Amino acid sequence: SLKPSEEDIAAYYHAHSQQFMTEEQVVVEYIELQPSDLVKNISVDSDLVEEHYQAKVDAATSGASRHTAHILLEKQDDKSHLSTMAKIQDKLKNGGDFTSLAREYSEDFATSEEGGDLGYTQPGDLPAELDSALDTLSVGEVSGPVETELGVHLVKLLAEKKAELPSRDDIEPGIRRELQRQLALELLPERIEELKDLSYNASSLESVADRLDLTLQVTEPFSRNGGDGIAGKPQVITAAFSEPVLEKGLTSEVLDLADDHVVVLSLRERIPSRLKP
């Protein structure tokens, strides 16, 4: 087999040196601004935290439900429904079965065959008078007569699913973080305008970062093909190799990288293309 000599390799290397050049690279310094950068300076009013905590308690409370049954008698002009109701109550006191009595006497024909079973309901599902009566009952108890537009009821609490109220210690930190983020999002447009004003023709991004209490960061060297992290963003690559930044040493415009995430950059170091050894 033919093996090129060292002299052949050296001659080829010098004759084709353009193939062995590194790409031009830059190092840029930059300031990025997103909601998380503003959160550290935002304090949340205690009343606002309390308001959001109570909203979560109310939401959890609305998840409570009760399994109920009733016996309904329609009102009669001659008040005969009252004597029937008294008879039912007397039977219940003497050990009568609510389900059987509902099948026998209830005039809510949609539920009477089911022993008056109304299923699981949440506050507000039933007439307010029935909800109020149920509030006073323990599981297994039957109310006294309750009047509604439909007639006169006896209502029984069969079972109860209690609301699992959130522990304040568990959820308050999350509420504070969420409120801080909301406030940061509201503040962001104003801070972006400040960043634009301060960085426009700024001689140093370090002073801009100090004014806005943000961190000045520096990339690793990268070429027109991009690099790691923020140097992989097309907008950043384009800006870094643009004439104003690369040739004139100006700061870039404020670049919109994504929703609620902007960056401004300037050249720190230009590393020219060179022949690889």
Side-chain angles (χ1 to χ4, degrees), residues 13 42 50 62 73 101 121-122 131 155-156 166 182 270:
Y13 170 72
I42 292 176
E50 179 64 26
S62 71
L73 298 181
L101 291 168
T121 60
Q122 293 181 318
D131 272 339
V155 63
K156 182 175 183 178
Q182 286 176 17
R270 183 177 187 176

Side-chain angles (χ1 to χ4, degrees), residues 1-253:
S1 63
L2 292 173
K3 185 176 181 184
S5 67
E6 289 296 326
E7 290 79 9
D8 292 335
I9 292 171
Y12 185 92
Y13 170 72
H14 289 298
H16 300 82
S17 59
Q18 283 301 311
Q19 293 181 18
F20 307 117
M21 300 294 286
T22 63
E23 291 182 287
E24 179 180 35
Q25 292 184 306
V26 293
V27 175
V28 300
E29 56 188 30
Y30 65 96
I31 301 169
E32 63 181 331
L33 179 59
Q34 50 194 328
S36 57
D37 296 310
L38 304 180
V39 163
K40 62 180 182 287
N41 294 324
I42 292 176
S43 59
V44 178
D45 183 72
S46 297
D47 290 344
L48 200 56
V49 174
E50 179 64 26
E51 182 184 319
H52 279 70
Y53 172 70
Q54 286 304 324
K56 288 184 182 293
V57 168
D58 292 344
T61 303
S62 71
S65 59
R66 298 184 279 217
H67 187 190
T68 58
H70 79 146
I71 296 170
L72 170 66
L73 298 181
E74 294 177 0
K75 295 177 188 173
Q76 304 297 326
D77 292 339
D78 63 1
K79 308 291 185 187
S80 59
H81 61 285
L82 296 178
S83 58
T84 304
M85 184 61 76
K87 186 193 301 182
I88 296 167
Q89 285 184 285
D90 193 48
K91 289 188 175 189
L92 284 170
K93 281 179 190 171
N94 290 307
D97 176 56
F98 190 94
T99 300
S100 301
L101 291 168
R103 288 195 183 109
E104 183 179 350
Y105 289 101
S106 182
E107 293 171 342
D108 176 8
F109 300 111
T111 66
S112 60
E113 283 303 309
E114 304 300 323
D117 194 338
L118 292 167
Y120 274 94
T121 60
Q122 293 181 318
D125 292 345
L126 299 175
E129 300 90 341
L130 293 184
D131 272 339
S132 296
L134 286 164
D135 287 342
T136 68
L137 300 179
S138 299
V139 172
E141 286 186 337
V142 179
S143 69
V146 181
E147 282 198 34
T148 72
E149 289 181 354
L150 300 172
V152 182
H153 310 247
L154 294 178
V155 63
K156 182 175 183 178
L157 182 59
L158 301 174
E160 200 167 21
K161 288 181 183 173
K162 294 280 190 184
E164 288 189 23
L165 296 183
S167 155
R168 190 183 189 106
D169 289 344
D170 287 345
I171 69 167
E172 186 172 323
I175 291 173
R176 285 189 178 277
R177 283 194 299 272
E178 182 57 33
L179 289 172
Q180 281 178 314
R181 177 167 171 76
Q182 286 176 17
L183 292 169
L185 282 170
E186 291 170 16
L187 183 60
L188 190 64
E190 180 185 320
R191 299 304 297 276
I192 289 173
E193 287 307 310
E194 284 183 66
L195 180 61
K196 287 178 179 177
D197 291 344
L198 291 172
S199 62
Y200 182 70
N201 285 341
S203 58
S204 160
L205 280 183
E206 189 169 2
S207 62
V208 175
D210 288 344
R211 287 279 299 276
L212 294 175
D213 194 21
L214 296 170
T215 304
L216 183 67
Q217 302 180 74
V218 181
T219 67
E220 293 296 316
F222 64 95
S223 70
R224 283 177 170 82
N225 289 322
D228 295 330
I230 210 162
K233 302 282 187 183
Q235 307 96 309
V236 170
I237 299 165
T238 300
F241 286 94
S242 67
E243 185 184 358
V245 174
L246 191 64
E247 305 293 347
K248 298 181 179 176
L250 300 176
T251 58
S252 71
E253 294 181 350

